[in-house]
Amino acid sequence: MQHGPAVRRRKLGAELRALRTSAGLTSGEAARLVGWHQSKVSRIETGTSGVKPADVRLLLDAYAVADSQLRELLMALAGSDESGGRHHWWHAYRGVLPPTYRDFISLESQAGAMRTLETTVVPGLLQTPEYARAVTKAAVEGLAEDRLDALVEVRLARQDVLRADPPLELSAVLDEAVLRREVGGPGVMARQLERLVEAARLPQVRLQVLPFAAGAHIGVTGPFVIFSFSSTSDLDVVVLDHLTSSLYLERKEDLQAYTEAFDALQIHALSPEDSLDFIAGTAAGA
């Protein structure tokens, strides 16, 4: 388990190493092509040191990587703002957001797909402003009003990934407790359930409810998120949230375990169509 920045460095390094190998180059040959010492290439590939976007561009050019989507993703992992219009807007909130949250947003903004199990609250990408405010206020006691406003703004700005071109594909499994927990009062919850119904009808959103009647399930250990990247599965990562930090799992064994767990949850959950009816029924007080 590692924090996000370390995971990004390792994943970026591993991908650059694979691209160099595919180009038929040794690390020494690659270093000579870009005018570096071999040790710099080695440090980048092992993730032991950070790498500037300009350096990544040099390596990608040396390896004749023409895939624009892959280039964009790797540049973004290195911290580039060349993100096809998805600029790093969250930098404006640097003084408000903890590093782990900024890193989560960075991954979310570049991912092609996101799978999430939520057992307590509505996923951030589907929250209404009022619900987001109530959740944030409850999660961080004694928050100053201006800081609370900023965090809610960030939550809402994140939702732009669902309207991007192409949009993030979101698959969410919600425990019934998410629908029953009255966050912010009856009025706020009623509007939030209406928002879920609207979201469930979007082509890029697959929403399923895991009812109490399903009994114990593999997700009782807690919520998780799986980010997938369309250019390469080697960059996929699992994120586990804790009270004061987030942990990132990158090993293939972990990815497989959580992918299988999510697949099992989808099987035990209601179908998207039945889930839509279930949410609408809950909103109507059924």
Side-chain angles (χ1 to χ4, degrees):
M1 293 185 182
Q2 298 186 47
H3 291 290
V7 169
R8 290 223 310 265
R9 285 198 305 270
R10 285 178 51 135
K11 286 185 173 295
L12 176 58
E15 187 64 21
L16 289 172
R17 183 172 61 250
L19 291 171
R20 172 179 59 76
T21 301
S22 296
L25 299 171
T26 66
S27 58
E29 290 169 338
R32 283 192 294 275
L33 280 174
V34 295
W36 299 344
H37 192 280
Q38 182 179 357
S39 61
K40 180 174 180 177
V41 174
S42 297
R43 290 195 304 272
I44 290 173
E45 291 184 351
T46 56
T48 54
S49 68
V51 55
K52 296 177 181 178
D55 290 341
V56 172
R57 188 184 301 108
L58 281 175
L59 292 174
L60 295 177
D61 290 343
Y63 304 157
V65 177
D67 185 331
S68 60
Q69 193 172 26
L70 179 57
R71 289 178 67 100
E72 177 185 314
L73 176 57
L74 296 181
M75 292 289 289
L77 288 177
S80 171
D81 273 333
E82 298 176 16
S83 52
R86 296 183 187 180
H87 297 297
H88 295 182
W89 54 266
W90 56 91
H91 287 179
Y93 297 89
R94 185 176 295 274
V96 177
L97 305 177
T100 51
Y101 191 18
R102 293 201 304 266
D103 199 64
F104 182 91
I105 296 173
S106 175
L107 288 172
E108 184 178 72
S109 70
Q110 295 301 324
M114 174 180 173
R115 286 164 286 178
T116 181
L117 165 69
E118 289 292 348
T119 59
T120 308
V121 297
V122 170
L125 295 183
L126 303 178
Q127 291 178 4
T128 65
E130 299 85 0
Y131 186 98
R133 190 175 191 84
V135 166
T136 305
K137 192 171 184 178
V140 188
E141 292 186 357
L143 203 57
E145 202 67 17
D146 58 342
R147 190 176 177 88
L148 175 60
D149 291 341
L151 289 174
V152 173
E153 286 178 15
V154 169
R155 184 68 56 91
L156 299 179
R158 284 174 49 201
Q159 298 177 4
D160 285 344
V161 295
L162 294 176
R163 297 181 287 270
D165 184 20
L168 175 76
E169 294 182 6
L170 175 64
S171 295
V173 173
L174 310 183
D175 190 277
E176 184 178 342
V178 172
L179 309 180
R180 301 293 182 187
R181 179 167 288 102
E182 200 172 88
V183 174
V188 170
M189 201 61 205
R191 287 188 290 275
Q192 179 59 70
L193 292 176
E194 290 174 2
R195 166 68 179 131
L196 286 179
V197 170
E198 295 170 2
R201 296 194 175 106
L202 296 174
Q204 67 271 35
V205 175
R206 179 185 175 91
L207 199 58
Q208 291 180 260
V209 174
L210 196 61
F212 291 146
H217 52 78
I218 197 168
V220 295
T221 54
F224 60 85
V225 173
I226 306 173
F227 285 121
S228 299
F229 298 86
S230 53
S231 298
T232 171
S233 62
D234 289 340
L235 295 172
D236 292 359
V237 63
V238 176
V239 184
L240 306 177
D241 271 336
H242 295 267
L243 183 61
T244 57
S245 65
S246 297
L247 293 174
Y248 295 70
L249 307 179
E250 58 173 328
R251 297 187 312 162
K252 291 188 182 298
E253 306 95 291
D254 294 323
L255 286 164
Q256 181 177 350
Y258 277 89
T259 297
E260 291 176 354
F262 192 80
D263 290 344
L265 288 166
Q266 286 189 309
I267 291 173
H268 288 93
L270 299 175
S271 69
E273 296 75 19
D274 289 342
S275 294
L276 184 60
D277 292 339
F278 191 95
I279 296 170
T282 304

